[in-house]
Amino acid sequence: MEYAQVMISLQISLLLIISQSHILPLTTSKIPSTSLLHPPNKLHFHHNITLTVSLRVGTPPQNITMVLDTGSELSYLNCNLTQPTTLNNQTQPPFDPTQSTTYTTIPCTSPTCTNRTSDLSIPASCDPTRQVCHATLSYADMSSAEGDLASDTFHVGNLDISDTVFGCMVTESSSNPVEDAKTTGLLGMNRGSLSFISQMDLRKFSYCISSGLDEPGVLLLGDDQNVTEWLGLGYDVTLNYTPLVRISDPLPYYNRVAYTVQFKGIKVGDKILDLPESLLQPDHTGAGQTMVDSGTQFSILLGPAYTALRSEYYDQTKHILGDLGEPDYTFAGVMDLCYRVPCNQTVLPDLPTVTLLFEGADMQVSGTDRLVYRVPGETRDNDAVYCFTFGNSDLLGVEAYIIGHHHQQNVWMEFDLEKSRMGLAPLNCDLAVQKLGLVY
């Protein structure tokens, strides 16, 4: 679920299977047997602004690159054969369903079309001419995609996941077509019945996002191991868990298949903001839920919470960073607390930490790279423009809190669907990648 402008990068990944008591590097060619019903599989992804993983789809397999998106349900691939995409200055063809012997469209009469698409923002419809299920996806950044609901075999490492349902899209409109064209599609990872995680029947997955703009991260599909045990990092890594909130009754502004947590407050430095409890939980319409979304870059707060955070952060930083001095300037449509920093200043001063408080767990946003973002191409005389990495939902028109992946950097993020909880732990993701043997 993409709420801000994005850029794309990628790298292919390998498979790792871990037994219940051992860890092996990804470069190992022999894979031990395991008693796990669904053995853990590790993919590593790269990000500069959007997270991507590389898979293979079809028979014979075609290499594809997909955005990792915990905010979306239905995965989709670009199937427009007249529009090849470009990545790393090389032509990347779209997925060609005509070259796959295992590809099939979903008929209108299939329960997958009539029942399982009910949680999509736009339920599937029927193409009466071909009697094929038609899928339409739309996102808050005004991008959209249309095409057939179809199925094919997805290859993840040495696992062949047959009959995986996805959207084979032939029409796309994008808010950022140049960057969006650098991937083959999107990997939906939320709790909906058609998400990739649900179709794999996985009860747990985790990821760790490195802080460098072109550094690999790691995605773990499955696993029941303690993070410290299998990473072997030599220091304590204790996951703190917050419950995943789920309601059964449909509400107009509530996403029932999102990874929703209970927001408890915000702290700037040592000061807890004075926010009413009613502002931090959904109202009777469902507006105000807090979603964890790897498909959104920066974090978005409801207007009153953002205003309080902006005011406090400005007060604590106005003597550290120079004010941009342009009240009407907004970056990416949602961020309006911006600063001027001399272009030749390579190291920014220490900035106050922002701590997001959840039920049972906290997420600390520290370090200048996570707290302020240099706006590409924007300068004022000899100064660069930096903006605070939290945005205002009122400027976006979204009635929700969204925890974006920029603030998930160097945090081990575990999504435990079996116990309906999310685990967080500060972790040097670069070190984790090295320990796991993930390489370009």
Side-chain angles (χ1 to χ4, degrees), residues 331-343:
F331 171 58
V334 292
M335 295 182 288
D336 62 3
L337 175 55
C338 300
Y339 306 91
R340 294 176 64 145
V341 177
C343 292

Side-chain angles (χ1 to χ4, degrees), residues 227-237 427 431 435:
V227 174
T228 305
E229 178 183 344
W230 64 260
L231 282 179
L233 294 179
Y235 58 88
D236 289 337
V237 179
L427 186 67
L431 182 57
K435 289 287 184 178

Side-chain angles (χ1 to χ4, degrees), residues 290-344:
T290 301
M291 300 180 287
V292 180
D293 183 4
S294 69
T296 295
Q297 181 182 358
F298 302 109
S299 295
I300 310 298
L301 307 179
L302 288 186
Y306 171 79
T307 299
L309 173 60
R310 185 193 191 282
S311 176
E312 180 62 32
Y313 209 79
Y314 176 75
D315 286 344
Q316 293 193 27
T317 58
K318 61 185 177 183
H319 302 301
I320 304 174
L321 297 175
D323 190 347
L324 180 61
E326 299 177 23
D328 295 331
Y329 181 83
T330 302
F331 171 58
V334 292
M335 295 182 288
D336 62 3
L337 175 55
C338 300
Y339 306 91
R340 294 176 64 145
V341 177
C343 292
N344 60 2

